[in-house]
Amino acid sequence: QVQLVESGGGLVQPGGSLRLSCAASGNIFSIYAMGWYRQAPGKQRELVAISTSGVVPNYADSVKGRFAISRDNAKNTVYLQMNSLKPEDTAVYYCNAVIHLIGTPAPRTYWGQGTQVTVSS
């Protein structure tokens, strides 16, 4: 089955930057979308950014102008460049992907294990 492995999280001061990455592995036929969600304690999981094939990426209003999503299709990897980070960006960030596996009838949604991002002085 599919495995999504995130990396790049950590502790950063307000105004700093981080780059998250998520690599998908498995018997993949096609990846239709890859992106990022985040969840802070006591809050709902929310969309951060999604890159869908053939569609302009979507961003949460709270991160527009600060975050940028990109994909390396040859490596089945999605990145999230996070600039001008704020304490409110502190959360566990989860990779999300819609993937059609070889030998299966339809694509499904998969989730990574999450990577912690902490923005604090």
Side-chain angles (χ1 to χ4, degrees), residues 5-64:
V5 179
E6 302 114 323
S7 63
L11 175 65
V12 64
Q13 295 187 33
S17 298
L18 286 173
R19 182 188 291 268
L20 306 183
S21 65
C22 173
S25 62
N27 197 13
I28 297 171
F29 174 75
S30 182
I31 299 177
Y32 294 97
M34 297 189 77
W36 297 91
Y37 287 71
R38 67 186 182 187
Q39 187 168 24
K43 298 182 179 179
Q44 295 183 355
R45 186 173 297 187
E46 64 175 351
L47 171 71
V48 178
I50 292 288
S51 176
T52 301
S53 298
V55 180
V56 176
N58 293 327
Y59 295 92
D61 289 341
S62 60
V63 307
K64 287 180 179 178

